[in-house]
Amino acid sequence: MKITNVYEGVVPISSSIRNAWIGFSSMDCSIVAIESDVIRDGKPVVGYGFNSNGRYSAGEILRRRVLPRLLEAEPGSLLDERGGLDHAKAWDVMMRNEKPGGHGERSVAVGVVDMALFDLASKIEGKPLYRYLSERYGDGQPDDSVFVYAAGGYYAPGKTLTDLQDEMRGFLDLGYDVVKMKIGGADLAEDLRRIEAVIDVLDGDGSRLAVDVNGRFDLNTALEYGRAIEPYGLFWYEEIGDPLDYHLNATVAEHYTGSIATGENLFSL
């Protein structure tokens, strides 16, 4: 297996929605296609990757640093002993001559390529990605099912409580049992009205609703919201403050008895 071409592009999101911290009107994301010399049905096998909609495109890092290293890698240097793609070796190549630390935007760029490489490898082996991952990195016995939830509840111009409820009903109609909504982009009283409106759609069961602050709160606001939402028994209270503010997260955990979710914005080992 050899990588023959890598294509990189930018896709605009251009949406009027916002969370407590950012709006998406000028947001975009990177997309990558990695073409191999493996031919199936007369066409080369291609792996695809993209980055989260909460991150801007990382085109400069991809074009100037990450992708040239991948394309310049010595033949065989990305392969394991079976001749398959070795993602750890690919990661080492992409991170060559990079100083340790400073994982922020660089990790976004490498993650886009990493996703495409895993997509490529599983396609070459003719397996769905979950099975490829289980056999290569797990015990070869993937779970038959996995928990998922539907995330929405963004702020948008003119969006009413009825609109919010209709959005959540749409998730339930698709078969989701747990939903997530954004908070922190309005005052506490308004957010509580929004939370209660969604809980009404969930038959009064707050344990089926998670809320996401997107890192907006300072400690006092985090504790104030925690006291206000605790009686609802929510599924979790997510990304409450700055992800690197360990004191805030620890203090909230001491005072809020419900579940707390965090970590997705920590770009380090």
Side-chain angles (χ1 to χ4, degrees):
M1 194 286 298
K2 181 181 179 182
I3 293 173
T4 55
N5 285 296
V6 180
Y7 304 94
E8 173 267 336
V10 176
V11 175
I13 294 176
S14 304
S15 172
S16 63
I17 64 173
R18 65 179 178 88
N19 58 36
W21 199 255
I22 61 171
F24 290 81
S25 60
S26 60
M27 184 71 66
D28 54 20
C29 73
S30 286
I31 56 173
V32 165
I34 300 178
E35 186 177 278
S36 73
D37 64 351
V38 179
I39 305 299
R40 297 276 169 80
D41 300 323
K43 298 179 181 179
V45 180
V46 180
Y48 299 95
F50 61 94
N51 68 272
S52 162
N53 65 356
R55 307 285 159 198
Y56 289 97
S57 59
E60 278 295 293
I61 301 175
L62 285 165
R63 288 188 293 270
R64 294 181 57 195
R65 290 150 53 188
V66 173
L67 296 181
R69 293 171 190 150
L70 194 64
L71 288 169
E72 293 167 3
E74 291 294 324
S77 64
L78 304 180
L79 306 181
D80 59 22
E81 63 279 358
R82 302 177 300 131
L85 189 57
D86 188 317
H87 299 83
K89 290 182 178 179
W91 193 89
D92 288 339
V93 167
M94 289 187 285
M95 293 293 287
R96 188 173 296 155
N97 209 40
E98 293 282 342
K99 187 177 181 179
H103 297 80
E105 294 301 290
R106 187 174 67 192
S107 70
V108 174
V110 175
V112 173
V113 184
D114 203 42
M115 181 190 295
L117 289 171
F118 274 109
D119 186 41
L120 177 63
S122 63
K123 286 176 176 175
I124 289 174
E125 295 209 9
K127 300 172 182 176
L129 180 56
Y130 78 90
R131 183 164 295 282
Y132 172 84
L133 292 173
S134 178
E135 293 177 358
R136 188 175 179 91
Y137 301 102
D139 60 7
Q141 300 294 323
D143 293 335
D144 293 328
S145 62
V146 62
F147 169 76
V148 294
Y149 64 88
Y154 287 86
Y155 300 94
K159 187 174 184 178
T160 65
L161 292 180
T162 300
D163 294 332
L164 176 61
Q165 289 179 317
D166 289 342
E167 178 188 5
M168 296 300 164
R169 288 191 185 96
F171 292 148
L172 299 180
D173 290 342
L174 290 172
Y176 292 96
D177 187 57
V178 175
V179 298
K180 187 174 81 173
M181 62 181 287
K182 303 297 183 179
I183 64 170
D187 60 37
L188 176 58
E190 174 63 19
D191 272 340
L192 292 180
R193 285 191 288 270
R194 296 172 66 248
I195 289 172
E196 290 173 357
V198 174
I199 291 177
D200 284 344
V201 174
L202 301 173
D203 299 323
D205 186 358
S207 69
R208 296 170 59 194
L209 172 64
V211 295
D212 186 357
V213 187
N214 291 106
R216 178 67 183 269
F217 291 161
D218 59 23
L219 179 57
N220 288 335
T221 307
L223 293 172
E224 181 184 17
Y225 264 76
R227 288 189 294 268
I229 67 175
E230 190 162 1
Y232 298 126
L234 300 179
F235 192 79
W236 69 45
Y237 184 15
E238 179 179 347
E239 294 290 357
I240 303 165
D242 189 297
L244 295 176
D245 191 341
Y246 303 125
H247 173 68
L248 179 148
N249 283 289
T251 303
V252 173
E254 291 173 355
H255 291 81
Y256 180 74
T257 61
S259 298
I260 290 174
T262 190
E264 70 177 81
N265 293 309
L266 294 176
F267 296 117
S268 69
L269 298 177

